[in-house]
Amino acid sequence: PQERTGVRMSRPHFYIEIATVILHQGNPSDYDNTLQGYINPYASSFVNWALSQGVVYWLTDRPFHEQVHLAKLLRVPADAIPIRSFESSKTELIPPSHPDVIWVDCELIPGEITFLHENHYMDRFFQVPASTGVTSATKALIERKLRERAKN
């Protein structure tokens, strides 16, 4: 945490959806049998960067053993990223009105969009294409948003 004009600022909390942000539609050489998907080539770099900036949570409905396997592939300790499993909506896992939420996902269901509006999170949601997953451009957008927040 940093101090700025007497106000304590906490580190961002990244909520990253696995199925479309970390995994993506790729070529057969990238296919992982355990995860039944393709590992995004930029995912390891992005996840390690996010860990250096704040707290990272997986948003997933996948079994635990797949998440441990994913952590190995991304070269992060299995316990470095708490697992947040949901049943019907990712909003079950994201605290309402939390000042430090960064949500990275591909698509949202209508209730999740409502949640973003009600909690004033629209500027903290970063949508990535399912075809590519997270990229360096995603990281650059988030970095800019974090710098803007630090100024205010």
Side-chain angles (χ1 to χ4, degrees), residues 9-126:
M9 295 169 44
S10 63
R11 296 173 56 166
H13 289 225
F14 294 87
Y15 292 84
I16 302 172
E17 207 277 336
I18 292 177
T20 53
V21 175
I22 302 303
L23 302 176
H24 70 103
Q25 302 165 0
N27 64 51
S29 67
D30 297 332
Y31 192 79
D32 183 85
N33 287 324
T34 301
L35 297 171
Q36 297 181 356
Y38 303 92
I39 302 297
N40 174 335
Y42 192 71
S44 179
S45 176
F46 178 78
V47 169
N48 280 285
W49 169 80
L51 281 167
S52 75
Q53 300 299 305
V55 181
V56 176
Y57 300 97
W58 293 136
L59 293 178
T60 187
D61 57 359
R62 292 177 168 267
F64 176 76
H65 75 278
E66 289 184 13
Q67 297 165 43
V68 171
H69 178 71
L70 178 61
K72 275 199 245 180
L73 292 173
L74 297 175
R75 297 181 300 281
V76 298
D79 61 351
I81 302 176
I83 298 162
R84 299 289 187 251
S85 296
F86 62 91
E87 292 190 25
S88 61
S89 170
K90 293 164 232 156
T91 61
E92 299 165 17
L93 312 173
I94 298 175
S97 303
H98 191 281
D100 300 306
V101 166
I102 301 289
W103 185 350
V104 184
D105 205 333
C106 172
E107 60 184 340
L108 302 175
I109 60 175
E112 293 168 344
I113 295 168
T114 300
F115 175 84
L116 287 171
H117 283 292
E118 289 175 351
N119 291 284
H120 310 288
Y121 284 170
M122 288 307 293
D123 68 334
R124 296 186 227 155
F125 172 70
F126 296 86

